[in-house]
Amino acid sequence: MKVTTKGQVTIPQEIREQLGIHPGADVEFKIDGDAIKIIPIRKAASVGKRLVEQMRGKATIKMSTDEILALTRGES
């Protein structure tokens, strides 16, 4: 893994998923001897917000708002 000229590196996806680091997440850097630790800063998120974050981008069917409302209202 290389550091860019701006000092950036890409955290591998499996590590981001394991630690719950998502785009926009806050992280903290700590020096531990000759190593750097990246620590996600946990904010007290509501259950609903966590659910939305987990489900974001997972939909497989594209529906318009009108189609979704028709389904929820039981319209055919």
Side-chain angles (χ1 to χ4, degrees), residues 4-5 7 16-21 30-31 34 37 40-41 43 45 55 58-59 63 66-68 71:
T4 69
T5 57
R16 292 191 317 262
E17 288 173 353
Q18 185 177 356
L19 296 176
I21 298 173
K30 289 196 176 185
I31 297 173
D34 60 351
K37 289 185 176 184
I41 298 173
K43 295 180 182 175
M55 294 183 335
K58 306 281 189 212
M63 296 177 76
D66 289 336
E67 291 169 324
I68 293 169
L71 279 176

Side-chain angles (χ1 to χ4, degrees), residues 3-9:
V3 178
T4 69
T5 57
K6 293 183 177 184
Q8 300 170 332
V9 294

Side-chain angles (χ1 to χ4, degrees), residues 15-66:
I15 293 173
R16 292 191 317 262
E17 288 173 353
Q18 185 177 356
L19 296 176
I21 298 173
H22 51 82
D26 291 318
V27 296
E28 182 179 347
F29 294 89
K30 289 196 176 185
I31 297 173
D32 185 10
D34 60 351
I36 300 170
K37 289 185 176 184
I38 301 172
I39 303 159
I41 298 173
R42 303 283 181 220
K43 295 180 182 175
S46 69
V47 172
K49 185 173 182 176
R50 285 195 307 265
L51 269 173
V52 169
E53 289 172 359
Q54 288 176 345
M55 294 183 335
R56 181 167 280 131
K58 306 281 189 212
T60 57
I61 298 174
K62 304 273 188 216
M63 296 177 76
S64 70
T65 303
D66 289 336

